[in-house]
Amino acid sequence: MADVMPLQRKESTLGRLVVIGLGLIGGSFAKGMREKGMFHEVVGVDLDAESRRQAVSLGVVDRCESDLAAACQGATVIQLAVPILAMEKLLLQLSTLDLGDAVLTDVGSAKGNVVRAARLAFSGDMPRFVPGHPIAGSEQSGVEAADATLFRRHKVILTPQASTDPAALALVDRLWRELGADVEHMQVEHHDQVLAATSHLPHLLAFTLVDSLAKRNENLEIFRYAAGGFRDFTRIAGSDPVMWHDIFLANRDAVLRTLDAFRDDLDALRDAVDAGDGHQLLGVFTRARVAREHFGKILARRAYVDTVRSNDLVYLASPGGKVVGRIRVPGDKSISHRSVMLGSLAEGVTEVEGFLEGEDALATIQAFRDMGVVIEGPHHGRVTIHGVGLQGLKAPPGPLYLGNSGTSMRLLSGLLAGQVFDTTLTGDASLSRRPMSRVAKPLREMGAVIETGPDGRPPLHIKGGQRLTGMHYDMPMASAQVKSSLLLAGLYAAGQTAVTEPAPTRDHTERMLRGFGYPVSVDGNVVTLESGHHLDAARIEVPADISSAAFFLVAASIAKGSDLTLEHVGINPTRTGVLDILTLMGADISLDNRREVGGEPVADIRVRAARLKGIDIPEDLVPLAIDEFPVLFIAAACAEGRTVLRGAEELRVKESDRIQVMADGLAALGVKVEPTPDGIVIEGKGSDGAIMSGGEVWSHGDHRVAMAFSVASLRANAPIRIHDCANVATSFPNFPGLAAQAGIRVAEEASV
């Protein structure tokens, strides 16, 4: 006896879909397929007469059958959407029918049990059976809750066997993708273990906690005063008890393994509470606080930025304006990175003030948390690091994900080369394109075993337990990151490690090592250290980052009527190339209140509008301003005459090819520009007014490019729309807010 709902349907390439079990999942799949018109006919099977009636009346299926044989006759695809423990009986029934070439698939959350039942029922391999599991649901249940959009942007895991017909797998994969699902393929055993941890264990804990508290004498008081956190955690205890009873029995082995591991962690936590071990508790809590967000970023292979902002965050920079007042830009990124690294390797507790709470520096914090270091914060620029000593790092549970931070990856390469454990360093798509051979090559000469991806790019696989030997390395190209990586490796290398630079680069590592009590010798362009010493905890005050200040230095220089003071800026002589270059161009810059803080020179920098002129940039200044060139190109466009840059080929292997990306953007704004293999030639227009047109430019995910074109709007005659700006958070959190405060008319464009 069939319940039928007539429907005019277009011709379809597929025949009949049969869905057995018209609950939320089966009903939603059937309804979605029916609305997509993927099948000539969608047939439902359910033991409950009312469910069959509603399925037809609600348009979930074309017709319903109570007889399994009648429903499956001539089927193209049969989906099994019954409870896990009912699956065995259903498979036995299906094995007695002539199913022809029908493809079978299921939606059970414990795949091992289903696959075993299928093999028993069909006496061996089933090439046309594609086990599946949609990770989607709702607090509602039954066919009346069927939702054709239920699976959109949700994971569906297929677990094909070695014998699975590729055509059958491709068909089931296609069906789920048609419903908007994100489909992945996985081994059965791996699926069951992962789901035991991510779904089954949380449900077990929620059921157990609620049941345990409900049995206590003060149960009424407990539930009366339960706050939002309790309600959120225990919400899933309202799930279908019968369904979860079936799941736990079906996935018993994987659940037990996960439960045993959790019980060990829970026992360790109990011991810490009993012993008053605050350090152990702090470690668990600080790691857990950021873990969910951290792993979400790894899975998306993106930098440490908000998901909704990562597609195409657009800055709208409106023309005109001037910059005035007093501001303080965020803390120095280079020093922030190093404070975490050396603080983690020090003995004792290191306090850091002024820490840059940007995405790159957060990547470094997370890496050391993954290696067992307890780190509190950051909170309002304050970070507390409970150092573990040079030999105290532990093997991370998986690859160290470093987002978009090339500094983290290059410096950590040297530090990790001397550890006893293996590590893998990965990053987002941008970092994965950046060259790492110039670090890996000299480290290998010291005895490190490092494997890179194609063309020397990430991921990096570093083998632990190697005996490193110090060496004297003549750097072929000036690079503070390579120098720092070798010095950090030298902490673990036998004997002396020395690095000779062809030109001066930033010396934050050398200064900070001394600040932590580690002896470092600097003789001209040679930096030397020996292993065998230790690091003592220190107090670090991070000055404002001159690389971040550079955007405002140029802004105040090019915008008529500007007068801006940048407070507490680091003026390390290895970083002041941007000041020297702007001064050569005629900028009006003065340094006030010079002082030294934590071994680093700082000053308040006052800059006023001035008529800039084009120059040939001295090549000896290039390494001292390598990160500031995107915004210096804006200054050059506003200067009178030609500016020529040479010897800056390193700009082509930064977060983007900064030479080409800036050249393309400037050309789009009407500036005459010619990129060269190692630099650029810019013809500055030099007048007081608007010298650039508005338009669309692309930062290609490069934070410094995005901010540079924001500054360009001060001399534009129409708005500039800057695409792909999410990574600005890597170095300058809240750049639009501080820029607007100073007078640059830039803001995030509202999403449509």
Side-chain angles (χ1 to χ4, degrees):
M1 175 80 182
D3 301 286
V4 182
M5 181 179 185
L7 179 73
Q8 294 295 321
R9 189 176 298 278
K10 63 183 180 181
E11 287 296 318
S12 174
T13 57
L14 300 175
R16 178 178 299 136
L17 168 67
V18 177
V19 177
I20 305 172
L22 295 172
L24 172 68
I25 300 298
S28 296
F29 184 83
K31 189 173 185 180
M33 288 290 102
R34 188 170 186 267
E35 291 185 5
K36 289 284 185 180
M38 294 293 295
F39 290 87
H40 179 71
E41 185 181 37
V42 178
V43 179
V45 180
D46 201 282
L47 296 177
D48 182 68
E50 179 59 18
S51 292
R52 295 197 302 271
R53 187 193 68 77
Q54 287 200 49
V56 174
S57 65
L58 294 172
V60 172
V61 297
D62 295 311
R63 63 183 174 93
C64 270
E65 292 280 358
S66 57
D67 180 75
L68 188 63
C72 293
Q73 187 173 11
T76 305
V77 175
I78 302 172
Q79 185 188 77
L80 318 182
V82 299
I84 283 288
L85 294 188
M87 198 75 73
E88 184 175 350
K89 180 180 178 182
L90 175 59
L91 286 164
L92 285 169
Q93 289 178 287
L94 289 170
S95 70
T96 65
L97 305 179
D98 180 7
L99 301 179
D101 290 328
V103 172
L104 268 66
T105 186
D106 78 303
V107 298
S109 67
K111 306 318 305 174
N113 192 73
V114 173
V115 169
R116 284 190 296 271
R119 284 175 175 164
L120 285 172
F122 287 86
S123 302
D125 292 332
M126 290 183 60
R128 304 287 284 175
F129 179 45
V130 182
H133 175 209
I135 305 177
S138 166
E139 294 180 9
Q140 299 175 310
S141 60
V143 71
E144 59 272 23
D147 177 2
T149 67
L150 180 67
F151 309 108
R152 190 176 299 163
R153 293 187 295 275
H154 281 78
K155 297 281 187 188
V156 172
I157 300 174
L158 303 182
T159 58
Q161 307 300 290
S163 60
T164 300
D165 181 353
L169 175 61
L171 174 58
V172 176
D173 186 295
R174 173 190 166 198
L175 296 180
W176 284 114
R177 291 184 192 277
E178 285 288 340
L179 297 182
D182 179 9
V183 183
E184 294 187 9
H185 299 180
M186 191 179 291
Q187 294 292 322
V188 167
E189 296 78 10
H190 185 51
H191 167 277
D192 285 358
Q193 193 61 54
V194 168
L195 268 293
T198 58
S199 177
H200 304 168
L201 179 64
H203 278 82
L204 190 66
L205 297 178
F207 282 126
T208 305
L209 178 61
V210 173
D211 184 54
S212 176
L213 296 179
K215 291 187 295 187
R216 294 173 60 170
N217 292 334
E218 63 273 31
N219 53 16
L220 189 59
E221 296 297 289
I222 289 171
F223 286 92
R224 175 180 294 163
Y225 296 111
F230 177 82
R231 290 193 297 272
D232 289 344
F233 177 72
T234 58
R235 174 186 57 81
I236 56 177
S239 302
D240 183 349
V242 174
M243 178 185 76
W244 281 99
H245 157 273
D246 291 359
I247 289 171
F248 286 125
L249 293 180
N251 200 29
R252 179 172 57 241
D253 291 343
V255 169
L256 286 174
R257 285 193 297 271
T258 301
L259 192 58
D260 286 344
F262 179 76
R263 185 170 60 183
D264 290 342
D265 289 338
L266 198 60
D267 287 342
L269 202 60
R270 187 198 182 284
D271 291 343
V273 173
D274 183 47
D277 186 349
H279 183 77
Q280 169 74 1
L281 296 176
L282 198 60
V284 173
F285 299 161
T286 52
R287 290 192 300 272
R289 183 173 184 266
V290 298
R292 186 169 64 173
E293 181 182 5
H294 171 60
F295 288 113
K297 290 165 183 170
I298 295 175
L299 292 171
R301 292 199 73 232
R302 57 187 169 83
Y304 284 58
V305 291
D306 184 4
T307 306
V308 300
R309 296 156 56 95
S310 62
N311 292 330
D312 182 17
L313 178 64
V314 175
Y315 282 175
L316 182 63
S318 300
K322 61 182 179 180
V323 291
V324 295
R326 299 179 68 91
I327 62 171
R328 180 166 175 172
V329 299
D332 187 290
K333 183 168 71 164
S334 296
I335 297 175
S336 295
H337 279 302
R338 289 159 173 82
S339 68
V340 173
M341 293 181 185
L342 298 186
S344 296
L345 299 177
E347 297 174 7
V349 178
T350 291
E351 300 281 355
V352 182
E353 297 282 356
F355 184 85
L356 171 65
E357 297 185 38
E359 308 295 354
D360 281 8
L362 294 178
T364 296
I365 284 183
Q366 184 61 45
F368 282 91
R369 281 186 173 135
D370 286 347
M371 291 187 287
V373 181
V374 176
I375 301 176
E376 302 175 61
H379 181 66
H380 298 317
R382 183 181 178 87
V383 176
T384 302
I385 306 162
H386 299 259
V388 297
L390 281 168
Q391 308 301 330
L393 296 179
K394 298 177 181 177
L400 296 177
Y401 179 76
L402 302 172
N404 191 41
S405 180
T407 301
S408 301
M409 182 167 286
R410 292 194 178 102
L411 269 61
L412 277 171
S413 299
L415 190 157
L416 294 172
Q419 304 304 316
V420 297
F421 50 81
D422 297 350
T423 44
T424 297
L425 305 181
T426 68
D428 70 355
S430 173
L431 182 56
S432 298
R433 293 191 294 268
R434 297 171 69 181
M436 294 294 154
S437 291
R438 58 180 175 163
V439 169
K441 181 178 180 293
L443 288 173
R444 290 179 185 129
E445 293 178 25
M446 296 177 71
V449 176
I450 301 177
E451 296 178 9
T452 66
D455 301 319
R457 303 182 192 281
L460 302 185
H461 303 285
I462 303 172
K463 187 170 181 57
Q466 306 305 303
R467 186 179 186 276
L468 303 186
T469 303
M471 68 169 181
H472 192 140
Y473 184 67
D474 291 313
M475 292 184 15
M477 178 189 299
S479 170
Q481 292 182 359
V482 175
K483 175 181 66 174
S484 297
S485 181
L486 298 180
L487 292 176
L488 291 172
L491 299 176
Y492 298 92
Q496 189 179 85
T497 298
V499 180
T500 299
E501 300 184 274
T505 64
R506 59 189 63 179
D507 63 354
H508 301 305
T509 301
E510 300 95 293
R511 287 174 181 264
M512 193 172 289
L513 280 166
R514 290 197 202 99
F516 279 91
Y518 203 101
V520 178
S521 168
V522 179
D523 183 8
N525 62 344
V526 181
V527 184
T528 307
L529 60 71
E530 290 188 70
S531 59
H533 303 278
H534 67 276
L535 298 160
D536 293 315
R539 187 181 184 280
I540 305 294
E541 185 174 346
V542 180
D545 195 335
I546 196 168
S547 293
S548 296
F551 300 100
F552 295 93
L553 293 171
V554 171
S557 295
I558 67 173
K560 188 175 180 179
S562 295
D563 187 347
L564 183 70
T565 297
L566 296 151
E567 299 175 338
H568 198 75
V569 180
I571 54 168
N572 185 303
T574 63
R575 298 285 300 281
T576 52
V578 63
L579 297 177
D580 298 332
I581 291 170
L582 284 173
T583 299
L584 289 172
M585 296 177 74
D588 183 356
I589 296 174
S590 60
L591 274 59
D592 304 319
N593 192 21
R594 290 174 181 256
R595 56 213 184 270
E596 188 168 290
V597 177
E600 290 282 348
V602 299
D604 299 333
I605 304 178
R606 184 180 184 186
V607 56
R608 286 170 281 196
R611 280 186 172 275
L612 303 181
K613 63 181 185 295
I615 63 170
D616 280 9
I617 297 173
E619 288 195 35
D620 63 333
L621 292 180
V622 170
L624 308 184
I626 196 69
D627 284 335
E628 291 75 55
F629 277 114
V631 76
L632 284 171
F633 293 169
I634 302 300
C638 298
E640 182 178 350
R642 174 179 292 183
T643 295
V644 179
L645 171 67
R646 302 181 184 88
E649 58 270 20
E650 185 180 352
L651 288 174
R652 290 195 177 274
V653 292
K654 289 288 189 177
E655 285 84 335
S656 68
D657 179 344
R658 285 180 174 163
I659 291 173
Q660 192 62 53
V661 170
M662 286 300 301
D664 292 343
L666 286 168
L669 301 179
V671 178
K672 187 177 179 181
V673 57
E674 179 186 347
T676 65
D678 68 340
I680 198 167
V681 179
I682 299 172
E683 300 289 348
K685 296 189 176 181
S687 63
D688 286 334
I691 56 93
M692 284 178 264
S693 61
E696 309 261 342
V697 296
W698 276 260
S699 76
H700 294 269
D702 192 321
H703 50 125
R704 299 199 191 278
V705 172
M707 290 184 280
F709 282 118
S710 299
V711 171
S713 65
L714 290 162
R715 296 289 295 276
N717 60 20
I720 300 173
R721 294 183 76 242
I722 310 159
H723 291 269
D724 203 8
C725 297
N727 280 345
V728 169
T730 62
S731 66
F732 203 141
N734 193 33
F735 168 74
L738 192 59
Q741 177 186 326
I744 304 172
R745 299 167 180 170
V746 61
E748 295 178 12
E749 185 175 74
S751 58
V752 180

